Amino acid sequence: MTLLDVRGLTVRTSDGRTLVDDLSFTLAGGERLGLIGESGSGKSLTTLAVLGLLPDGMSAAGSVELAGVQIVGVPEKRLTGVRGRDAAVVFQEPLTALDPLMRVGRQIAEPLGRRTGLKGRDLRRAVADALAQVRLPDPDRIARAFPHEISGGQRQRVALAMALACEPKLLIADEPTTALDVSVQAEMLELMDTLVRERGMAVLFVSHDLAVVARITDRALVMKGGRAVEEGTVDALVRSPREEYTRTLVASARRLESALDLRSSR
Ligand SMILES: Nc1ncnc2c1ncn2[C@@H]1O[C@H](COP(=O)(O)OP(=O)(O)O)[C@@H](O)[C@H]1O
Ligand SMILES: [Mg+2]
């Protein structure tokens, strides 16, 4: 069944610039798709449009149906139920999702409590479980910490735990490892891969790096200047790219060989 159906999505600024141009793709339940393209190609605006979260002064046209619900043209207030239940997002910078003034545990308790109805001690235990699931050591200590008191890698795990707490059908990850040290990137990708697989969630995974996309998805859509350049399996894009632009992306994906090796062994 189609979970996400994007048809002719176009994003324009109020002064008439077209930043995403007639983009179409679909994602079935449990399926994964990568969005790949150089910086500025419209990947993030696409994910924001899917969530109904475009910045002020930007408008979307076309159609985005998430679990059968139209997102384009619907007032943001009416979409809050859809977000979280049907789709959750992990951004490049985890601080985007986290409230700097609220302890980590409380931030996870909010969506978790809403979904499960748990309270008090039971909810606190569920929060610790959620933090342990994203392999954070000493979850009770992390739960009491403020976001600035933990490392960037730990913050991104917290952001992932928050997204998963809603048990969404679709996880959107926009450059989730780009801001992290190289040493923790691979671990984060492996963690996402495992947790998403266990839950049978669909993933829309955004990166400028084809090698990173290859670790999570088998299929990818290449974007340039707000448009779709080509779409196919990662293997086909690497081995027989139809477009010159895809070829340059492949060439710049330095760690591609090892990523493909890693994928074939999983
Ligand atoms: N808030 C904004 N106001 C004006 N232009 C924006 C805004 N956000 C993004 N853009 C422009 O839209 C284009 C696509 O941006 P984005 O979707 O963030 O690209 P990507 O995520 O692929 O790097 C870029 O040219 C960027 O400068
Ligand atoms: Mg971006």
Side-chain angles (χ1 to χ4, degrees), residues 245-259:
Y245 179 66
T246 308
R247 222 161 281 150
T248 61
L249 285 180
V250 171
S252 68
R254 301 175 306 281
R255 300 179 309 284
L256 190 59
E257 285 307 322
S258 59

Side-chain angles (χ1 to χ4, degrees), residues 13 17 19 37-46 55 58 174 206:
T13 59
R17 282 188 303 141
L19 300 175
E38 65 197 347
S39 174
S41 54
K43 307 182 297 296
S44 291
L45 289 179
T46 299
M58 278 194 206
D174 187 353
V206 173

